[in-house]
Amino acid sequence: MNIIGLMTGTSADALDIALVNIALTADDVLELRLLDAGEIPFGDDLHRDILRLLSPEPVPLSLLSSVDGRLGRFSAHAVQQLLARTGAGCQLIVSHGQTVRHDVDAGAVTSTLQIGQPAWIAEATGIPVLSDVRARDVAAGGQGAPLVGFLDQLLLADAEEPTALLNLGGIANITVVAPGQDPLAFDTGPANALIDLMAARLTDGRADHDHDGALAARGTVDPGLLAALLEDPYYARPAPKSTGKEHFHAAYLDEQLRTHPGVAGADVMATLTALTARTVADACRDHGVRRVIASGGGTRNPVLMDQLRAELGEDTELTTTDAALNLPEGAKEACLMALLGWLSRHGLPGTIPSATGAATATITGRLSPGAEPLQLPPPLTAAPRGLRIVV
């Protein structure tokens, strides 16, 4: 079946969209063909208002409602354009939406909220839409994040040594797959979240990320600031765990800079980049990882990748999903949404308790019917045992 996956991540700057064909082979392996993929930047107004929702300051309920509808219509238009451009059919759309709250109390997630009203997508396309893919895992006692564990487990089904699939978005997360062990997945801390904030300040808002790491490359890591950042209690918490911009936000960065006055802007950029590299590498070392396969926008930052390679050391290989799996780094999370849709449509759980901390595996999401009455195939009784990316 053809499925469209939509993903809006913690960077909150664009909509990732992918059209994939997923088929189950006779040997119980999924074959995923990426038919089309892209990244569609938000307009300035929508981008600004999403960032307002991600800040810790109170916002009016009218803003939440407005962005919910506008993001839903933006997503619907993106799907219509993709279908018109490709001429392809599609049986299901999976929309993650934008996470605007992920509430954690003493390490337990009490609520998670994604917006981007799916009814607009279903009405505009006539195709069923699966949405709200995190809430059921949270209700089962899980973190609701990262959800990528099931995909990563299938991709690394034949791994012969401890391997981590790493996503460098606004927040960094890893899935560790090792022979004979249950997969483990968790957020390691900020990837681009703090880097983007500082880059916007240094460019008077003209850029919200450090193109090619140019700003960080001009600076020098400040040892005192880096040490203070590394003292955040989040890094010492055991996995599974999750975090987001409700923790690593502008006020958090301001407080760190107030206690370390006089650090030049370029040096702050270098230090924040070093923070991402150090915390990811520490997490990988803690779990004996010998190979790291990275995806996400952070892979386009050569300074970050060079620092991460140095932090991991010569005994740990660092590569990308493009090189290792034939999966474009920018399309991975949209492909994840498509996979979760395939699993839910066939009555199969899309979560792994060892990865999220939930009491049980859960079927993800809720469905908005399209133009026709909703019809589901007979449920499958066994999960696929692997996944191949077909080029």
Side-chain angles (χ1 to χ4, degrees), residues 194-203 207-210 215 269:
L194 300 180
I195 293 172
D196 287 353
L197 281 170
M198 195 64 195
R201 295 178 181 185
L202 294 178
T203 59
D208 57 4
H209 61 280
D210 188 4
L215 294 171
M269 289 296 296

Side-chain angles (χ1 to χ4, degrees), residues 137 142-153 163-166 172-177 182-188 234 238-243 283 287 332 351-358:
D137 183 76
Q143 294 285 312
L147 284 182
V148 74
F150 204 103
L151 171 62
D152 290 347
Q153 176 185 243
T163 302
L165 273 161
L166 163 68
N173 62 70
I174 62 171
T175 302
V176 180
V177 178
D182 290 333
L184 181 68
F186 59 96
D187 292 336
T188 64
Y234 178 80
K241 58 183 178 178
S242 61
T243 188
H287 297 283
K332 185 189 174 193
T351 61
I352 302 174
S354 64
T356 67

Side-chain angles (χ1 to χ4, degrees), residues 64-156:
L64 180 68
S65 177
S66 171
V67 174
D68 184 46
R70 287 152 59 197
L71 182 55
R73 292 189 290 273
F74 184 94
S75 300
H77 183 62
V79 171
Q80 288 177 309
Q81 287 188 313
L82 183 149
L83 293 174
R85 182 175 68 251
T86 62
C90 177
Q91 290 76 54
L92 180 66
I93 299 166
V94 186
S95 178
H96 175 272
Q98 176 66 56
T99 298
V100 292
R101 290 293 303 176
H102 194 72
D103 298 324
V104 183
D105 182 13
V109 177
T110 58
S111 180
T112 187
L113 177 62
Q114 289 75 42
I115 63 172
Q117 179 53 246
W120 289 100
I121 308 172
E123 182 65 24
T125 65
I127 300 169
V129 180
L130 186 79
S131 61
D132 201 18
V133 294
R134 297 186 185 273
R136 186 65 182 274
D137 183 76
V138 170
Q143 294 285 312
L147 284 182
V148 74
F150 204 103
L151 171 62
D152 290 347
Q153 176 185 243
L154 293 179
L155 287 170
L156 298 179

Side-chain angles (χ1 to χ4, degrees), residues 212-269:
D212 296 326
L215 294 171
R218 293 203 293 266
T220 302
V221 175
D222 184 278
L225 177 58
L226 178 59
L229 289 164
L230 288 169
E231 289 176 358
D232 191 295
Y234 178 80
Y235 303 122
R237 281 176 44 200
K241 58 183 178 178
S242 61
T243 188
K245 287 187 175 180
E246 67 280 349
H247 181 67
F248 295 106
H249 48 58
Y252 175 92
L253 179 60
D254 289 339
E255 180 60 28
Q256 297 292 339
L257 296 181
R258 272 194 295 270
T259 59
H260 293 81
V263 182
D267 294 344
V268 174
M269 289 296 296

